[in-house]
Amino acid sequence: MATRASRTDVIRMRLGCHGLSGPALSNPGAVAGRMLAVQAQDYRAGLWAIGVRVPGSTVSDVARAIDTAVLVRSWPLRGTLHFVPAPDLHWMLGLSAPRVLAGMRTRRAQLGLDDSAIEGARTVALDSLSGGRELTRAGFLAALEAQGISTGGQRGYHLVANLALTGTLCWGRHTGTAQTLVLLDEWVPSPRRLEHDEALGELTTRYFRGHGPATAKDLAWWSQLTLADIRIGLGVARKDLIEIDLGGVTHFLAASAEAGLPGSAPQRRSTVFALPGFDEYLLGYRGRSVVVPDDRFPLLVPGRNGIFLPLILSDGRVVGTWRTETTPRGVWVEAAPFETMTPRQWAGFERAIDDYARFSGRPVTIRPGRGAPDPVVPLT
């Protein structure tokens, strides 16, 4: 029988599953282990998505986890870059890559990328990267060109993505400001190997552990797997899940997150967060109205161009956005709340930006004015 829950209950449970309340996650690997996949198409946003969930961490801590293959950046879901725990990437690609590659078939044909071109690129990758060698994206594209494989237009991107989706490449450590490409089997020599249905059950359990409570449709959107696969995953994972009823709609929560059920005491480290753009707290779901009203959602994606702005979160609800601007005088933050913040919210936002500044290692200043509460005028 499903446990009835209010929207406030669901938000409280989600904050806990996302590592934004309750006991702090101890390191970047723990975040990836909890979330399974953290969107990282915007690389810096992905770093902060991990950092905001590890109080006291720095960008160097996350970079170190990437450089030592604790986290791996690749295309494990929806044809979109994510950070994932290194041992999990192989089985995730086994589930998701066939559908993503099928969806890219038309574009590959338009670019003239037939099987011969792709296999030629794979040979170049194996020849140039075997033995622990690495190349930046620019270096790898130059190696392809040297072998007569054109990378003009979007061909270079599609070749790299195809080789990653088929398990040949992944992104490795940093060299200067660039990430390098490496051979996946060398970078992750001891992957987990799961059979198809077992992998579906693992994906299901891990999704609801890091994103619950959420619906089966949320999982289908997040993974871009078929509803038939989602049903198999739910069947395999059923013993590890709790059903939550929100307004007559069944949501699922991993049993390991049971402490967040209605009636439990909330455990929070903060009530206001400055989350990055593309954060899983919003993008991890097909339906987002639990945390942001439908009429406010367009403000998070101006122009409907697919670029999600950084979020201001207060008590688990999205109350606005924020932006950074780097100038010769430093980094500035501008808040764009939906409504004027209360003094408590503004103070929390200032603390959240202080956390962001400490994480990034750069001084950050909030522009005065928009969204800030009116100053208190002392009585005379």
Side-chain angles (χ1 to χ4, degrees):
M1 179 180 296
T3 299
R4 281 189 166 184
S6 66
R7 180 173 298 187
T8 299
D9 292 326
V10 168
I11 287 173
R12 182 176 69 247
M13 288 184 272
R14 282 191 185 176
L15 286 169
C17 286
H18 277 265
L20 296 172
S21 72
L25 296 174
S26 58
N27 56 64
V31 175
R34 170 74 65 84
M35 306 299 297
L36 181 58
V38 177
Q39 187 149 322
Q41 68 185 72
D42 182 320
Y43 185 74
R44 287 190 176 275
L47 296 178
W48 177 229
I50 293 172
V52 74
R53 291 166 167 84
V54 185
S57 64
T58 67
V59 68
S60 297
D61 295 327
V62 183
R64 189 178 306 112
I66 296 165
D67 288 351
T68 57
V70 173
L71 309 179
V72 176
R73 186 171 177 244
S74 189
W75 287 266
L77 295 169
R78 306 192 305 275
T80 300
L81 284 161
H82 289 75
F83 291 123
V84 300
D88 293 311
L89 178 56
H90 285 75
W91 65 261
M92 293 181 72
L93 288 173
L95 289 179
S96 65
R99 283 176 59 81
V100 173
L101 289 168
M104 297 168 67
R105 187 180 297 122
T106 299
R107 184 57 180 150
R108 288 198 304 273
Q110 292 171 344
L111 294 170
L113 292 175
D114 57 15
D115 290 345
S116 176
I118 292 170
E119 291 311 310
R122 196 182 316 278
T123 298
V124 172
L126 294 172
D127 288 346
S128 59
L129 298 174
S130 292
R133 288 174 289 173
E134 58 193 7
L135 287 171
T136 63
R137 180 180 184 277
F140 180 64
L141 296 187
L144 293 176
E145 292 281 357
Q147 296 300 316
I149 301 173
S150 172
T151 62
Q154 292 186 330
R155 285 172 58 94
Y157 167 82
H158 277 266
L159 285 169
V160 171
N162 190 287
L163 295 181
L165 286 162
T166 51
T168 299
L169 297 179
C170 68
W171 293 101
R173 72 182 187 92
H174 296 79
T175 297
T177 59
Q179 240 189 318
T180 57
L181 288 165
V182 294
L183 295 181
L184 174 59
D185 285 343
E186 290 187 356
W187 192 244
V188 186
S190 301
R192 295 182 66 196
R193 302 289 187 184
L194 304 180
E195 297 297 328
H196 184 262
D197 287 8
E198 183 185 11
L200 288 171
E202 180 77 1
L203 181 83
T204 301
T205 300
R206 299 277 289 280
Y207 171 74
F208 291 121
R209 181 186 176 206
H211 296 76
T215 68
K217 289 183 178 179
D218 290 328
L219 173 56
W221 182 91
W222 185 76
S223 65
Q224 292 293 289
L225 297 178
T226 66
L227 286 174
D229 278 341
I230 298 303
R231 284 192 287 270
I232 293 172
L234 285 170
V236 174
R238 182 71 65 177
K239 66 182 184 305
D240 298 318
L241 302 176
I242 296 170
E243 292 189 14
I244 305 292
D245 181 335
L246 175 61
V249 177
T250 298
H251 291 60
F252 297 94
L253 178 72
S256 58
E258 191 172 2
L261 287 171
S264 63
Q267 293 179 294
R268 294 192 180 178
R269 300 186 296 276
S270 177
T271 59
V272 180
F273 291 93
L275 298 183
F278 301 100
D279 194 85
E280 289 288 320
Y281 191 80
L282 184 70
L283 260 68
Y285 308 87
R286 179 182 178 185
R288 287 126 183 188
S289 60
V290 171
V291 298
V292 61
D294 290 337
D295 63 337
R296 301 290 197 183
F297 183 76
L299 299 176
L300 309 182
V301 196
R304 298 183 180 275
N305 58 3
I307 305 300
F308 284 72
L309 297 179
L311 308 174
I312 302 173
L313 207 66
S314 178
D315 295 318
R317 290 174 168 82
V318 179
V319 298
T321 63
W322 60 287
R323 302 171 186 258
T324 61
E325 179 186 359
T326 301
T327 72
R329 300 181 62 183
V331 180
W332 293 85
V333 162
E334 182 174 350
F338 301 149
E339 299 173 354
T340 299
M341 290 186 181
T342 66
R344 179 187 68 83
Q345 288 175 324
W346 188 258
F349 179 66
E350 289 179 323
R351 288 192 296 271
I353 294 302
D354 285 344
D355 289 341
Y356 171 72
R358 178 199 40 73
F359 173 82
S360 63
R362 300 180 296 174
V364 178
T365 304
I366 301 176
R367 291 192 191 277
R370 185 177 176 188
D374 294 331
V376 176
V377 178
L379 296 176
T380 59

